[in-house]
């Protein structure tokens, strides 16, 4: 069984292509991850309160529907793995 130079160059090229496409796919996943990641929450205005803070239960306001765009809702859906 002889291994020719041509065959070795083909295998080396195949390995480089594999690693190149792997890095390209990794970069694409990072780009999608940064696009789909939810934005940081701003400080609430008016009578709004943060959900993760402790709140007195006697202090209640009617719940307002969010005015998020469909794209933002879809990104949030995919971010949480729905």
């Amino acid at each position: 069984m002889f291994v020719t130079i041509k065959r070795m160059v083909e295998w080396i090229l195949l390995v480089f292509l594999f690693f190149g496409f792997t890095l390209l796919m990794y970069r694409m996943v990072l780009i999608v991850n940064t696009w789909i990641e939810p934005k940081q929450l701003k400080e609430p205005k008016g009578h709004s309160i943060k959900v993760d803070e402790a709140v007195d239960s006697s202090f209640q306001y009617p719940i307002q529907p969010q005015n998020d765009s469909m794209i933002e809702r879809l990104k949030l859906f995919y971010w949480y793995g729905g």
Side-chain angles (χ1 to χ4, degrees):
M1 179 172 133
F2 293 103
V3 178
T4 63
I5 302 282
K6 182 181 177 185
R7 174 113 18 195
M8 285 176 31
V9 169
E10 288 174 352
W11 274 102
I12 291 172
L13 180 63
L14 179 69
V15 168
F16 279 127
L17 282 175
F18 177 76
F19 283 125
F21 283 125
T22 302
L23 288 175
L24 179 67
M25 186 65 181
Y26 175 72
R27 287 292 184 184
M28 288 174 48
V29 168
L30 283 179
I31 290 170
V32 169
N33 184 33
T34 57
W35 175 74
I36 206 169
E37 185 176 2
K39 305 292 185 257
Q40 294 294 328
L41 296 177
K42 299 176 188 172
E43 194 66 30
K45 298 176 184 176
H47 296 290
S48 301
I49 56 174
K50 281 189 138 180
V51 176
D52 60 346
E53 293 180 355
V55 177
D56 183 13
S57 62
S58 64
F59 186 73
Q60 296 179 355
Y61 283 97
I63 297 173
Q64 299 290 331
Q66 292 181 348
N67 292 329
D68 292 337
S69 69
M70 187 59 100
I71 278 289
E72 291 297 320
R73 291 177 59 195
L74 185 64
K75 285 169 38 177
L76 194 61
F77 174 78
Y78 282 126
W79 175 256
Y80 287 117

